[in-house]
Amino acid sequence: MDARLALAGTRTETTKIEITSNVSVGDKQLLIVGGPCTVEDLDMMTQSASALKGSVNCIRGGVFKPRTSPYAFQGMREEGLEILAAVSRASGLPTVTEVMSERHVEVADPIVDMLQIGSRNMQNFELLKAVGRASKPVILKRGLCATIEEFIMAAEYIMSEGNHNVILCERGIRSFDSFTRNVLDLGAVVALKQLTHLPVVVDPSHAAGKRELVPDLALAAIACGADGLMIECHPRPEESVSDARQALSLQDMCDLVKRIEPIAQAVGRTVPLAKPAPAKELVVSQTLQSSARNVGTTAA
Amino acid sequence: MDARLALAGTRTETTKIEITSNVSVGDKQLLIVGGPCTVEDLDMMTQSASALKGSVNCIRGGVFKPRTSPYAFQGMREEGLEILAAVSRASGLPTVTEVMSERHVEVADPIVDMLQIGSRNMQNFELLKAVGRASKPVILKRGLCATIEEFIMAAEYIMSEGNHNVILCERGIRSFDSFTRNVLDLGAVVALKQLTHLPVVVDPSHAAGKRELVPDLALAAIACGADGLMIECHPRPEESVSDARQALSLQDMCDLVKRIEPIAQAVGRTVPLAKPAPAKELVVSQTLQSSARNVGTTAA
Amino acid sequence: MDARLALAGTRTETTKIEITSNVSVGDKQLLIVGGPCTVEDLDMMTQSASALKGSVNCIRGGVFKPRTSPYAFQGMREEGLEILAAVSRASGLPTVTEVMSERHVEVADPIVDMLQIGSRNMQNFELLKAVGRASKPVILKRGLCATIEEFIMAAEYIMSEGNHNVILCERGIRSFDSFTRNVLDLGAVVALKQLTHLPVVVDPSHAAGKRELVPDLALAAIACGADGLMIECHPRPEESVSDARQALSLQDMCDLVKRIEPIAQAVGRTVPLAKPAPAKELVVSQTLQSSARNVGTTAA
Amino acid sequence: MDARLALAGTRTETTKIEITSNVSVGDKQLLIVGGPCTVEDLDMMTQSASALKGSVNCIRGGVFKPRTSPYAFQGMREEGLEILAAVSRASGLPTVTEVMSERHVEVADPIVDMLQIGSRNMQNFELLKAVGRASKPVILKRGLCATIEEFIMAAEYIMSEGNHNVILCERGIRSFDSFTRNVLDLGAVVALKQLTHLPVVVDPSHAAGKRELVPDLALAAIACGADGLMIECHPRPEESVSDARQALSLQDMCDLVKRIEPIAQAVGRTVPLAKPAPAKELVVSQTLQSSARNVGTTAA
């Protein structure tokens, strides 16, 4: 496998990638990304950031949504990017969102702090090259049936264009059993940590597909050496416009980070838990307050 | 599944799609697409068209190549499109080539007769929408681990943008056994013929990954009702710059179409075999004769 | 792979295996096995044999049933073997039934004409050795996720004990899509025909899991070189005690054999279709007429 | 799913299963099973027990070996059982070994402390019933492509015969990527802990297939709630007669248990680590000293 940029070679340490001046990944402190599957409106994003601040160090929210059906809600698009920006300014949390085309890269790169390539596009090579020319770090999700080698080579595509800030994300692979949505492949996480020098994070939400399985899988991911987690949570999970079955409540998300702490310590890592202090309401600009509230509940 | 355009509903016949004035798919005559994985130079394309004319009714050749490695040969791109056009003019065979981005659609749509969406891009929704606005029919290949429902919904994405000329192509799915490259899922072909009104063709080359398995799988595909075949063949298979292990020789390809004929008849179909007449050398314009001969043999 | 007995080596012909004095497999005439999933009572077996005689050359029926649940009906066992024997005497059709333990081999070997090893037991090595010491030919079904190499080595286990009459049966493998019950792997059939000298038959019923997909897959199997078929059919499919969704009616089974005939001819084979003559009612011994009629409809 | 005995229902606690008077599973203390894939001779078993005592609370060793090839070494059989018994007497460690037929159950049940059903036999229903009538607890390994429901129903088969002491063991499932031998499905572990009241242990050795991946996967298994581990280790891993690539050295095994300890504590469990005291040489009876040393190195 000719992955001259991604393979560890003789390097023994994970490459530390700076997301903002005070948040990085690949270092002692874990990257904990929380937030909803989809940016639905300003209100729910503000609520999410308020509740999660002090427990996570990055907020997620999809604005360009890859949906199986062309008739399902496709995301708030540019308007959603503005919401992410406003929430980030108010909360201080860096943001990440998925991009699905070269045009999305153009509009999202100046606004969010990390770009995400989703599973369905892991081998969309033109898109990989486009984020390879972007200015922000890229979270690259493993394809639904991508081999470990194909996954690494997809990272290499991005890096070969100049953007070396790639974070690999294991999020479950397709298998024969439909009890869990996908099968979380932690063996791949261990292998990727050994083969490459890139940070590796884990998304247990899409792997499990059922919220009651998410917390224990998150603990497992940290125990085996993952550099972070990406977990879906929502102010009212059952009302989420997409992937409702797998989202944690905001409270459960905060509780989970507390459960992760002793595991993190056992493997020499720390979690971004704030020292206990009353969480303040976030104040966001009035102009954005008018954002659409009802994007409609659409099936996946 | 809300595939209001793709599902058969009460229709009992396959939709006939015209590719050119005298070649169509979904009708009594089978669509037989032959040609190399990659357009390597004008010479090999001319040779291929010369030999295949009279046995196939469409020629394929990749000019934008999805390669696992960013360092592998990525295709002749625009120059390759010109070669396809020249070969089509000389042979009378319609052409098909894969597109991987919206820009590829823009440049290929005016030149080739069909656009192909490859497996890796089956859920590249922005690309699906782009070919949905193109003027030519689209061969949509099933993703490596796409469900039948996801496959149909991907066709629906294209159709929902206005282009109703979609041909589904089963090309093997990922499985646990590496003896064959993929597993040809003819059950999906039978199911797709029953569920949708779209023509369904089969690519046994990528499914098998070994040329000695291709002919018998081609016979099976026609026996179970496929509307056509897409088969890789090459003047010197062992020298192919990509997928060398699975390409048939041009002679074997022609022999295969003869073997298909009685199976086609048994299920009420015909093959595009010309009445025996001496095949003439194709004459192509001099300007193209200078096209690159050696694109370099690069590993997949 | 050290399969010194199963591999083709320099042999170019399939080994012909005689099941009875006038039925064999691996020869020009196809082996067509029909019958219900489960022997439910004498009546339905007599009806089946009456209707199928003239269209098939072997009858199947399970008497030891591998059921996912210990509380599901486990088969008529020894009583079922007597029914098979009676029906065979009356119809002249040879019989095949599955065995799941060494004790089953002991009781079934003297009564039926072929022993079947089911998918779940493909690597039950002690059982393979036991049928390797039996007197009757063995149909060995591929395991749900057995590689081609493991499948051949399982045949080798049987052959290494002295019984060289092994027939390989492809019956679908597990995959990620639940639209079809399993994925029929005809690439494996083509590969097995090339790698080994053993006859290879196909069971499209368990592969498809839906009766409307069975006939077209049966045609495909014959087109690609299979030496026979094993298809579930039932006098009243919807009332079958097991696998009701995939069984053909007896009439549809007979019609299917007629549809297979031209495909068989196209590949140089024949089907065991009798010359048109009025099918006579079978007469079976009175003692068996009292067999249980209602074994109860139990879920799989 | 009618698994009336295996499902948790309203029970909220894992059932504690006593293996010997001082070793149990399903309780606060983890079950840590170590030992070689295959019992090769008395010497290597004595060495293993000597080194592992104080770090594990159960020793494993196969004497009836399920091998893909009939020509590969099939195990020391009865002689191996005597070695296990001798080593257990000398070390005080309970033993577990795989059984593959009803006859194996008869001879092993009086000698070892736990019986193991291997992956290939998870749906060998006659064998499940046989261990359901045995006197010892049963470790049931998940089949290579068994669904969670099929796995639970296999446990139910054992329990329905009277033996309620069933321990479920996740050991990796088949997938498309051959980089790891199988894919460890910890989502299934979390699900099984929620669905059933049975203890669940994890075998990371067979899942990973490469020793360098085993320790981190072991940590992950404990973090997500597994009740124990089953890990292959060998005095000279590279000389192991089977599965040499995945065995840990005895020293690495002991070191791993020390690494597990803080993870165990983080989730409220303990490991069977002895207080530091000089490990004494085990003394085994002279009669057994003559056991075969060289069983021959045979490929899997």
Side-chain angles (χ1 to χ4, degrees), chain B residues 143-158:
Chain B
L144 276 163
C145 64
T147 63
I148 289 174
E149 178 172 348
E150 288 168 343
F151 193 13
I152 295 173
M153 293 312 297
E156 189 78 13
Y157 257 97
I158 300 171

Side-chain angles (χ1 to χ4, degrees), chain C residues 124-139:
Chain C
N124 177 345
F125 297 124
E126 299 300 313
L127 180 61
L128 296 180
K129 291 180 197 165
V131 295
R133 295 184 295 265
S135 66
K136 300 293 170 57
V138 177
I139 293 191

